[in-house]
Amino acid sequence: MIEILNPAELTRAKAAGALVADILQSLKSRSLVGTNLLEIDQWARAMILEAGAQSCYVDYEPSFGRGPFGHYICTGVNDAVLHGLPHDYALADGDLLTLDLAVSQDGVAADSAVSFIVGASKPPESVAMISATQRALSAGIAAAGPGARIGDISHAIGSVLSAAGYPINTQFGGHGIGSTMHQDPHVPNTGRPGRGYQLRPGLLLALEPWVMADTATLVTDADGWTLRSATGCRTAHSEHTIAITDDGAEILTLPTPSRA
Ligand code: MG
């Protein structure tokens, strides 16, 4: 099902998006050398509950995971790129951490992910990989607007990732979002322009380019959730929720100005 939000729902979506962005920004600033992934999860829980919002993850039980997720945020370190299950691990200098957060507030969900490097070490290949996903996300957003098609977004994202030299996995990509976190249409991270569903104002999409340095193959961790690169290489992920507007697209998951 593809949902088109009305103006009142869009107002609530903007609030949900700002909440997700503010929580992610706070968690990023608190993710230091020595921080445990389980602490990050508890901080996320506290901020979600304080805002009166609901986690989209705790009871989530999709076909690709083992049982209810049971945590409030996805934490992926280095080779872990998607659906990272928080576990007892203290971050080390130079770790590449991905935080992915989806929250529902007043009946509307928003979803965003950010990758960054913990501590003072900045491995150049990791910096480049994060940058590529950010640029691909910007290109995807720039390609979105009324009358454009899903394939236009996919092509824009895939072109940046390919030009940067990264293989592209097509099992997991972006998605529609609205009253629930994962909806149609699927937004692959590569595709042909001019193909697929035609975008309309009021449609919300979560765009999420992600890459693994030297492979397109994922393996599932023994925890039943965390997806890692098959080669053990590092990975990166950037995601925003956007709304299709009358003349383009608006990013909903930007931090509120007072905290930016
Ligand atoms: Mg998502």
Side-chain angles (χ1 to χ4, degrees), residues 111 175 206 208 239:
D111 188 357
H175 49 92
E208 48 182 317
E239 177 177 22

Side-chain angles (χ1 to χ4, degrees), residues 217-232:
T217 304
L218 291 163
V219 292
T220 305
D221 187 276
D223 68 17
W225 277 100
T226 304
L227 297 178
R228 300 180 183 277
S229 62
T231 60

Side-chain angles (χ1 to χ4, degrees), residues 37-60:
L37 300 181
L38 295 175
E39 289 181 281
I40 298 173
D41 185 52
Q42 284 304 305
W43 294 332
R45 174 182 186 276
M47 285 186 272
I48 292 167
L49 296 182
E50 185 187 356
Q54 291 83 42
S55 167
C56 296
Y57 291 164
V58 169
D59 297 321
Y60 195 50

